[in-house]
Amino acid sequence: MVRLAVIGSNFVTDWLIDALRETPGVELAAVCSRTLERGQEYAARHGAPKVIVGLDDLCRDPDIDAVYVATPNLFHAPQTIALLESGKHVLCEKPVATDCASFDAMCDAARKHNRVLMEAMVCAHLPCWLEIHKLLDEIGPVRRVSITFCQYSSRYDKFKAGIVENAFDPTLGNGALMDLGVYCVHAAQMIFGAPKSVRAAAVKIPGSIDGAGSILLGYDDCIADIQYSKISQGAQLTEIQGEGGSLLIDSITRPTTWRLIPRTGKRADGLSGVSGSGLSERSIDVLAPRHAMAYELSDFLRQIHGESMPQFNENTRAVMQVLDEARAQTGVDFRKGSV
């Protein structure tokens, strides 16, 4: 049984603990908090048997095998490295680090101490995303992908009222790209691999960082158009367009239904077009039977038990390189916000 502690007490940690209860071979062993009072409240809510105050005590605790890190982005790398050096395996919430150099340092620590490090990127582990290439073969060759994650943040109203919470704090490594855009870039990475070119633009928030943005990823024979926002609400589906048809996806992080729409060959002007693709339109139920985060937790455990899965960190590193380039082009600097 893997004894897991959690550090960070937000709604994402709540989800991870819910997923843990559906995952055999792991138990919630402790809650780590900066204060005893906060730790006790969170432990009582989730039935954790132990409260650990502070990272140092967590590192020293011999009864903890692995840690889920869900603190603000800025702290991911230093906390994860300390935990790896103390002999703990680490599942770190996305984005795994604020830049690629920090992620490389985390990976070096994992290799040196023979521990498992994995980013908690939900879409990288869902069965439907792992099966997507079969559908791409049906509609392919793929020529264009539009990946969208635009979700108005409740914290934005507070920001406009003069209250800057973590989500819009430039000193904590947050912002729309790191919060939502990272999912879109990771989806493109899983479909196509690393891009040949990156072109980025962002909407800046005065006194903070990026509130929205777009990234155009170029490949040899297709493009990926990424849109993300924390300051507007989107209704557009993600679409993968191929020569044989298109695939509509209702959600990047927790998809329920994908819809395959074939090319029919019909033209609006009544003139005859080329013949259709021969595919039939259909909806595909992709709702995960388990909690969405249970799949990433299961893959994390499989690595702890010795199974090699290098593709996850390889994809994470490629995504981090794209995020670095996008921030450089848009002038997002975590030390001072947007410039």
Side-chain angles (χ1 to χ4, degrees):
M1 180 69 69
V2 173
R3 299 165 298 181
L4 181 80
V6 298
I7 177 171
S9 54
N10 55 36
F11 65 92
V12 181
T13 309
D14 295 342
W15 292 344
L16 189 281
I17 294 173
D18 289 342
L20 180 148
R21 304 193 193 286
E22 298 182 18
T23 308
V26 61
E27 64 181 7
L28 177 62
V31 166
C32 180
S33 179
R34 288 177 296 176
T35 67
L36 179 62
E37 181 181 17
R38 173 59 177 156
Q40 288 175 333
E41 185 276 329
Y42 196 73
R45 191 196 315 172
H46 291 287
K50 180 189 290 188
V51 175
I52 301 171
V53 179
L55 183 68
D56 290 342
D57 283 351
L58 177 59
C59 289
R60 286 191 294 263
D61 195 314
D63 297 326
I64 302 301
D65 304 309
V67 179
Y68 170 67
V69 175
T71 51
N73 300 340
L74 182 71
F75 305 121
H76 285 182
Q79 290 176 341
T80 293
I81 291 172
L83 290 164
L84 292 167
E85 290 176 342
S86 73
K88 317 295 186 192
H89 305 286
V90 178
L91 177 64
C92 185
E93 189 50 54
K94 64 80 198 166
V96 70
T98 55
D99 53 50
C100 193
S102 297
F103 179 59
D104 286 343
M106 297 161 76
C107 290
D108 287 344
R111 283 190 293 267
K112 180 178 179 180
H113 297 278
N114 195 29
R115 300 291 92 181
V116 173
L117 166 66
M118 193 183 85
E119 180 180 39
M121 173 55 66
V122 62
C123 60
H125 305 271
L126 291 176
C128 58
W129 275 107
L130 301 179
E131 294 291 316
I132 192 171
H133 288 280
K134 295 178 181 178
L135 293 172
L136 300 187
D137 289 341
E138 288 193 52
I139 65 171
V142 174
R143 297 305 187 195
R144 183 183 186 90
V145 178
S146 298
I147 305 176
T148 301
F149 197 164
C150 298
Q151 182 174 285
Y152 189 93
S153 172
S154 60
R155 296 174 179 86
Y156 185 46
D157 289 334
K158 292 184 178 180
F159 177 83
K160 290 188 289 186
I163 304 170
V164 180
E165 296 191 335
N166 288 357
F168 293 103
D169 187 341
T171 67
L172 295 179
N174 291 313
L177 175 62
M178 304 300 279
D179 188 16
L180 302 183
V182 61
Y183 287 115
C184 303
V185 176
H186 207 106
Q189 173 68 27
M190 289 190 296
I191 297 171
F192 298 121
K196 297 297 180 65
S197 63
V198 178
R199 298 290 183 269
V203 176
K204 312 293 180 57
I205 307 176
S208 184
I209 37 184
D210 59 318
S214 293
I215 304 175
L216 187 65
L217 303 178
Y219 300 86
D220 285 336
D221 52 8
C222 63
I223 56 174
D225 182 5
I226 288 170
Q227 304 171 51
Y228 55 91
S229 175
K230 291 175 70 68
I231 58 175
S232 61
Q233 185 64 42
Q236 180 179 335
L237 300 178
T238 286
E239 182 180 22
I240 302 175
Q241 300 176 10
E243 292 185 8
S246 65
L247 186 66
L248 298 178
I249 302 173
D250 63 341
S251 170
I252 291 294
T253 57
R254 285 164 175 76
T256 60
T257 301
W258 294 358
R259 185 181 177 195
L260 191 151
I261 303 175
R263 172 177 55 81
T264 64
K266 296 179 181 178
R267 288 173 49 150
D269 56 12
L271 298 177
S272 61
V274 295
S275 60
S277 62
L279 298 173
S280 59
E281 181 172 332
R282 66 187 191 273
S283 293
I284 305 163
D285 181 8
V286 296
L287 180 64
R290 302 166 63 196
H291 191 291
M293 295 178 74
Y295 296 93
E296 67 186 35
L297 187 55
S298 293
D299 283 342
F300 178 60
L301 296 175
R302 288 164 64 189
Q303 292 176 82
I304 289 176
H305 293 305
E307 188 168 344
S308 178
M309 297 181 171
Q311 70 274 19
F312 296 128
N313 281 348
E314 290 169 359
N315 282 340
T316 292
R317 189 177 192 279
V319 169
M320 294 304 304
Q321 289 179 312
V322 172
L323 300 184
D324 284 358
E325 179 61 26
R327 288 197 313 276
Q329 291 184 21
T330 56
V332 173
D333 187 335
F334 294 137
R335 295 167 298 180
K336 52 187 177 182
S338 299
V339 296

